[in-house]
Amino acid sequence: MSTAALYNDQGAAEAAVEAGQETTPTSSSSGAAFGLFSTDFKKNEDLKEMLESNKESLKLEAMKRIVQLISKGKNASELFPAIVKNVASKNIELKKLVYVYLVRYAEEQQDLALLSISTFQRALKDPNQFIRASALRVLSSIRVPIIVPIMMLAIKEAAADLSPYVRKTSAHAIQKLHSLDPDQKEQLIEVIEKLLKDKSTLVAGSVVMAFEEVCPDRIDLIHKNYRKLCNLLVDVEEWGQVVIINMLTRYARTQFLNPNINESLLEEGSGGEKMFYGSDEDEDEDEKEKKAEAAAIAKRKPYVMDPDHRLLLRNTKPLLQSRNAAVVMAVAQLYFHLAPKAEVGVIAKALVRLLRSHSEVQFVVLQNVATMTIKRRGMFEPYLKSFYIRSTDPTQIKVLKLEVLTNLANETNISTILREFQTYIKSMDKDFVAATIQAIGRCATNIGEVRDTCLNGLVQLLSNRDELVVAESVVVIKKLLQMQPEKHSDIIKHMAKLTDNIQVPMARASILWLIGEYCEHVPRIAPDVLRKMAKSFTNEEDIVKLQIINLAAKLYLTNSKQTKLLTQYVLNLAKYDQNYDIRDRARFVRQLIVPTEKSGALSKYAKKLFLALKPAPVLESPFKDRDHFQLGSLSHLLNAKAGGYQELPEWPEAAPDPSVRNVEVKESVPEWTKCSSREKRKEKKVEKPFYSDSEGESGPTESADSESDSASTTDSASASVSEESESGLESESEEESETEEEEEDKKEKKNQKKEPKKPVQESESEQSSEEEDRKPEKRSKKLKSDSESDSVEDEGSESESSPSESEDFESEAVVTKKKKAAESKPPSKSVRKEEKKEKKEMSLLDLDDFEPTPSPQVTPVNTLLSNSLATDLEGLSLSDSILSPATIIPSGALKNYELLHRITGEGLSVEYCFSRQPFSPDANMVAVQLQFTNNSTSDTKNLHMEDVRLQSGMRVKEFPEIELLPAGEMTSAVMGIDFCDSTQAANFQLCSHTKKFFVSIQPPVGELMRPVFLTENEFKKEQGQLMGMNEITEKLTLDVKCRNEHAIVQRVTTAANLSRVPCGSDKECSPPVPPPDYPVHRFAGRTVTSSSLVLVTVATREEGAAQLMVNCEKMVIGTMLVKDILLALTQ
Amino acid sequence: MEQQLDGQKPVQKASPEMIHSLFLINHSGDIFLEKHWKSVISRSVCDYFFEAKEKAEDPENVPPVLQTPHHYLISIYRGKLFFLSVVQTEVPPLFVIEFLHRVADTFQEYFGECSESVIKDNVVIVYELLEEMLDNGFPLATESNVLKEMIRPPTILRSVVNTLTGGSNVGDTLPTGQLSIIPWRRAGVKYTNNEAYFDVIEEIDAIVDKSGTTVFAEIQGVIEACVRLSGMPDLTLSFMNPRLLDDMSFHPCVRFKRWEAERVLSFIPPDGNFRLMSYHVSSQNLVAIPVYVKQNISFLETGSCGRLEITIGPKQTMGKMVEALMATIHMPKSVLSVSLTASQGSYTYDITTKILIWDIGRLNPQKLPNLRGSLSMQTGVPKPEENPSINIDLKIQQLAISGLKVSRLDMYGEKYKPFKGVKYLTKAGKFQVRT
């Protein structure tokens, strides 16, 4: 049966031949096609003989010929028995070719194919990973249903293989098995779940691919792997990146809030386009209410981006620089669908770059750009000229570019665009000219100011020699005139004259329609036109005839004196026309307009029927509303849903619980307060049918609250800051509730607090502990000791002696704790735990599958920095010891400065801080984050900057105007200032709709630089070049609290935006050396504007004495920096 | 018809793989190679493509994505060949297009060209390559370095030896790159002469209007590298003026974070030739236009002739010599023949394609090249509406027109001293003069 089916598959003619000649396999006609073998019948016998022979070379030669046959689409199935014997050949090339054959024909020769299976089963156990992988590849490609159980087993085994390459292959095999036997879905999902936890970059892309094919709706499997996937993304191979990014786009749409929610609210007023009750139908009533409530709160609150949402945006951005167009497009669509409006702009540049690529790439990119330009015109405006058309572009590209240009047209650039269009109209490519005229028409309808200009231009085109051009112009002019006919009777007259010359039916019809419609504007010409038309009626095309009848009818109704006879003549002609539509129309019109005794009530309304006011047509882009398809997808390109397309979900009204993604982090990050409180809440969900009041609020609302309290920023970097503060708050609430809770709860909590310390590798353990967390404390203690011993093993040094950065965090944690509530456990215990967890994380770095996860407790700058460091160092193939976290410095929380006091600001207060983020619009600027709080009772509108007064050379990039700041709300914005490497203040006026305030921003010298990464050697070399005048040395005595390495690093990096130079990196391979007694700390940075190096050295001596040295070309900066750091260290 | 196969299985949703089949089709529309990664799809599916091809006239105008009742066809046109892939389900079109180009690139690299004859000659290697590049429709190994370890490119010597000894194209070792964290480089590279060459090649894209004003100009640059270094060298390439670069894309080997922070290219290079980065110097910066074109092309209203005169002279050449200067003009259909005199170089006019090519060579600033003469037109046809635009080709050695300069190349991780070299070249990209 299968054979027959496959034959059918081969194309009718061939199939018939083949099927009829089982014994004489190939017909002479196909034999002729591959010339080399004139009589194919014999050759196939030859091939068999060659395959039977003992000589490898003969066999190989035979296989090569067979592959040639296959490549030409010829049937070689009868050779199967002879070939399958060679599956175990030692010759690798022969073997590979046999595999090729096997995969192609196994399905039709199932029984024989089974002979080969044992070979593969053996190979699956081979010590060589490559052989294991290739065996699995072929085994899973053989589409024989009988071996499904064997495949299943093989996949499961391979998924646990030590080699990531084999695991990758197993991920591929999952899809194959699933398509062969969909009943295996459940089992396969288990394997996918397991592979999703894999930390190898090799596996990630393939398993997500399998996920997308097998169970794309099981979004819950992604939660725990979300952060890992985000962090691995950069290192995944390019094809995998595309798949992961597309999947994460969908994921983010279900898990996060719309970052543009506030804007869309402003735009839409009520903004109630989305349903309140989302997909979770089965939720009970109360929960729904809560949800709606939460959504309402979220609407009123300023939007705060989920840190995980930010993580995704941040980690995908570098991929815009990929050489792979598909990756760039994937990131672009992710930004388009997920990023706040203000940030989407970054993708424009990358997409424009793709326009230099192959024409197929251009074609797809332009389609997507066309869709984007409708929604976000602004972001492509700077690149207007990149869409200019060259005469050598293929027509389909030209038309698309034209579409983009048209979408980009606005009041300011229209004159440039029209000038450009003028050159296009002269093109030799007539299809393109027609498209250009359409485009002009659209510009004219959209932009009122140029309507007349366009119209005049188009009228000029009416005298063009090319009839196509004229015809297209007429059609467009007709549409334009409909908008304001009364002004343009002369144009109508002009067009009436054209009827003598123009022959294109559509154009003639359009002119006639126009004259009929506006006959009162041209009362004298219209009857004359009708006269001419009546004359030529019989020779006209059908659409023209219909319009002649229309014109006659309209004239008869308005000017029956002059046209009565003409109309009757025309109607008589039409009565005997060959086309029944025309006969019909004539009959109908006659009944309607010529009053007779029989004519019914309708004829009274004839005038109203014919001369009703017709709405002007709207000239729309064909790309309008295409964005409901995920950009970059096949469905978007075709503007039709393709098979297997996954809809891009609408944003949820209220964000689902963000803690579902925590599990992984919980293990590696010592944010125990947060974890435990969240864990706890989650548990209670299970226990109780309804939320109690105190816990009903969903995550995001809370985070919004804490955000405003802590006066931190909404920017990417602050994500972790907010998390910290959030956790603080949560712990508070938790404490409150705790007093009411049973003793049992406390126990639970203890359990959970220990959970985080379990070894990361043991993924199951966390589940088991969740199940068993009701068990008494004993178990958790045991676990704890387990993890302790683990960490000691991994790290190989005592936890106490290691100079850990956690100390700093730990002290903070202690403070919070003391402040917030009286904990049942002594703080010291938690401190110890803290430390160990930290160490746990360090030990992670020693693993092969090193994952450069920036731990969220590291503060903003360093998240970036550590990440880059990690990847850099990884690439440098240095031993992991250099990655010792001493290189990753947490700087203190960002310091806030006051810009406008609440009193002077009459209720408006503004604070600013230097966010230490690269300011993306201009790398030479320092990013300043402004935090506006409206303490008054009335709304503040149109917050913006004016009257910027600067020292020469300085520049300011204003923050985008804040349209509305409701009473009691706060919001933030980022502006950039180029301070020209000076500490001169930037003065400007802060204006609201009613008031103006003079304010100024003065940077501390430490903020005028950005961190750079130098190795110790590079540092020393650079230092050597900055001697003499450029070197400033100062002796000092360190503050008592500031004598350990950590505190020094902390204080210096707080005082100045510098990065730590890893010490000992020149001794590449040595294991971590115990720190010298009097360590030297080095920091490096560059000034933001001039990129001059700033090198800081703090050399400690005995008894807290130290020497501070600053090397910088800019002496003023150097001197000031010395003062600042001195102050920071001595206090 | 091809659905019958699916019919025999109880439940069959659309097959999940991304790229189902590949057909290679030559200019005249013959399918000369097919490869299926799963079940066989009849080549009759290509009929939809042929229909579209017929309609489009110009192969460049064939829509890259076509929809048929059961399949989607995604194709590229490279070197007079169509690479047509069949997909059945949603897949990012660029994913397939990019992959097909990667396949074409690989053929190019293996066989020196990507043409029908060469593919037919090496069909076994092609098949082996395709087998490795795609597993179940999902790209597996697309790095040419990795592929070359698995399947050796053909050389004359090896093909002779192979036929004598029955040796194979297939490498018998495990490709190291595929498994390491740097998949683009294999382990154990050894050279006696260690050398690293970088070519900075810039192309000027410009549209110059009739009056000589620049409508639009930008510079597209690439850095092509040829690195033959032993071991695992870690290179750092820095520029004198990296701020010039407006937008760039990198080979995966480049550490993006380092670039962000310090504007240096830090990377462990692949072995051999590769494109390190491509970049863009935006039109905001003033782009130097190396030549000016004075032209006068007119078609007379009466009579059947036209006149043409073109002079090209140096504009901003930074004191360098303009070489390989060439002007290409797509004449209107009604121009039957030309009779011109070139003061320098030679010209050809192809009557069928209506393309006039004037090959000038080196531009001599003392004696400007000039082409003048008459065009004879078809009678009875109205004169062409538009004057044809002139496409300019040129080369300037030892100059990157944007002013980009490599300042130094440092190597870490290996002891030897490599030989280093940087070359600059400016070319005209899509350089068009409207007339």
Side-chain angles (χ1 to χ4, degrees), chain A residues 553-591:
Chain A
K554 284 173 187 168
L555 282 177
Y556 182 86
L557 289 171
T558 51
N559 186 6
S560 60
K561 213 187 280 173
Q562 271 187 305
T563 58
K564 192 175 177 183
L565 287 172
L566 266 174
T567 309
Q568 271 175 6
Y569 176 68
V570 167
L571 288 177
N572 281 335
L573 281 176
K575 198 173 168 183
Y576 301 105
D577 198 271
Q578 284 188 327
N579 187 308
Y580 63 78
D581 272 345
I582 293 168
R583 295 198 301 273
D584 249 17
R585 178 74 62 89
R587 208 171 298 133
F588 157 74
V589 167
R590 190 192 293 273
Q591 286 298 315

Side-chain angles (χ1 to χ4, degrees), chain A residues 335-354:
Chain A
Y335 262 74
F336 183 79
H337 291 300
L338 299 182
K341 226 173 180 176
E343 293 170 41
V344 182
V346 296
I347 64 175
K349 202 186 261 182
L351 288 177
V352 168
R353 183 183 70 230
L354 295 185

Side-chain angles (χ1 to χ4, degrees), chain B residues 262-273:
Chain B
E262 303 164 54
R263 300 270 142 181
V264 296
L265 295 175
S266 157
F267 56 98
I268 295 175
D271 187 34
N273 297 318

Side-chain angles (χ1 to χ4, degrees), chain A residues 916-982:
Chain A
R916 297 193 170 183
Q917 288 282 300
F919 187 66
S920 52
D922 187 333
N924 281 1
M925 291 192 174
V926 178
V928 183
Q929 173 115 22
L930 303 171
Q931 176 98 16
F932 303 87
T933 315
N934 188 351
N935 303 307
S936 68
T937 47
S938 58
D939 294 358
T940 304
K941 288 178 195 148
N942 301 80
L943 269 173
H944 64 280
M945 289 170 57
E946 253 179 41
D947 194 18
V948 182
R949 273 171 295 137
L950 302 167
Q951 300 293 323
S952 67
M954 283 168 64
R955 292 172 306 138
V956 158
K957 171 90 178 134
E958 302 176 356
F959 62 87
E961 181 174 319
I962 296 167
E963 282 169 25
L964 179 69
L965 183 60
E969 301 285 56
M970 58 196 306
T971 184
S972 61
V974 181
M975 62 183 288
I977 305 176
D978 181 356
F979 285 106
C980 267
D981 292 350
S982 76

Side-chain angles (χ1 to χ4, degrees), chain A residues 8-9 71-72 93 129-130 137 179 213 238 321 323 356 360 391 420 426 634-635 643 875-876, chain B residues 4 16 34 40 42-43 77 90 102 128 131 143 168 174 179 203 205 234 248 268 386 389 434:
Chain A
N8 277 341
D9 224 23
S71 78
K72 294 196 176 76
E93 186 170 27
Q129 50 177 348
F130 200 55
R137 247 183 91 187
S179 71
E213 299 298 352
E238 42 199 345
Q321 251 68 50
R323 62 171 174 172
R356 275 281 296 185
E360 297 88 10
S391 59
E420 188 64 18
K426 289 191 240 149
L634 186 61
S635 304
L876 282 164
Chain B
Q4 282 181 16
E34 63 181 71
V40 178
S42 159
R43 42 169 78 187
Y77 182 64
E90 170 65 48
R102 214 56 81 77
E128 284 166 350
E131 190 72 25
E143 279 295 336
S168 75
L174 178 63
L179 302 173
E203 295 193 353
D205 285 1
D234 193 335
M248 46 268 140
I268 295 175
E386 185 201 31
S389 50
R434 291 175 177 168

Side-chain angles (χ1 to χ4, degrees), chain A residues 238-259:
Chain A
E238 42 199 345
W239 310 107
Q241 285 172 345
V242 177
V243 179
I244 296 178
I245 293 172
N246 280 326
M247 186 275 290
L248 288 180
T249 310
R250 243 178 46 242
Y251 178 86
R253 271 293 186 104
T254 62
Q255 299 299 318
F256 306 130
L257 288 177
N258 184 355

Side-chain angles (χ1 to χ4, degrees), chain A residues 498-700:
Chain A
L498 282 173
T499 49
D500 292 342
N501 304 318
I502 193 161
Q503 291 307 325
V504 176
M506 189 60 210
R508 288 178 78 85
S510 295
I511 295 173
L512 292 176
W513 184 88
L514 261 182
I515 292 170
E517 192 66 23
Y518 306 116
C519 49
E520 64 269 38
H521 298 296
V522 283
R524 304 224 310 217
I525 292 175
D528 197 47
V529 172
L530 182 61
R531 182 183 61 79
K532 282 185 187 162
M533 286 300 131
K535 233 158 113 185
S536 64
F537 186 87
T538 45
N539 298 325
E540 298 290 352
E541 289 275 336
D542 290 348
I543 45 166
V544 185
K545 284 178 180 169
L546 288 174
Q547 287 307 327
I548 296 174
I549 299 172
N550 267 349
L551 173 63
K554 284 173 187 168
L555 282 177
Y556 182 86
L557 289 171
T558 51
N559 186 6
S560 60
K561 213 187 280 173
Q562 271 187 305
T563 58
K564 192 175 177 183
L565 287 172
L566 266 174
T567 309
Q568 271 175 6
Y569 176 68
V570 167
L571 288 177
N572 281 335
L573 281 176
K575 198 173 168 183
Y576 301 105
D577 198 271
Q578 284 188 327
N579 187 308
Y580 63 78
D581 272 345
I582 293 168
R583 295 198 301 273
D584 249 17
R585 178 74 62 89
R587 208 171 298 133
F588 157 74
V589 167
R590 190 192 293 273
Q591 286 298 315
L592 211 53
I593 59 173
V594 183
T596 58
E597 297 95 61
K598 270 191 262 173
S599 65
L602 265 182
S603 62
K604 277 185 242 163
Y605 301 106
K607 203 163 185 173
K608 275 191 182 161
L609 282 172
F610 277 99
L611 295 168
L613 208 63
K614 287 143 190 111
V618 187
L619 299 179
E620 269 183 349
S621 163
F623 288 88
K624 194 173 175 275
D625 288 337
R626 271 226 206 160
D627 64 324
H628 64 269
F629 287 115
Q630 187 168 4
L631 288 182
S633 67
L634 186 61
S635 304
H636 169 264
L637 193 76
L638 299 166
N639 201 16
K641 209 173 145 182
Y645 172 73
Q646 298 283 329
E647 292 279 356
L648 193 63
E650 282 295 335
W651 291 104
E653 276 292 320
D657 187 7
S659 63
V660 289
R661 287 180 292 276
N662 274 353
V663 180
E664 201 78 9
V665 175
K666 180 181 71 179
E667 290 172 72
S668 55
V669 171
E671 277 204 18
W672 53 273
T673 30
K674 187 178 88 185
C675 293
S676 56
S677 66
R678 281 209 169 134
E679 264 314 299
K680 188 169 143 196
R681 212 190 308 147
K682 212 168 131 197
E683 244 164 50
K684 276 178 196 150
K685 249 189 234 168
V686 183
E687 284 172 327
K688 298 179 185 179
F690 300 111
Y691 287 128
S692 67
D693 270 346
S694 62
E695 282 153 353
E697 279 180 16
S698 66

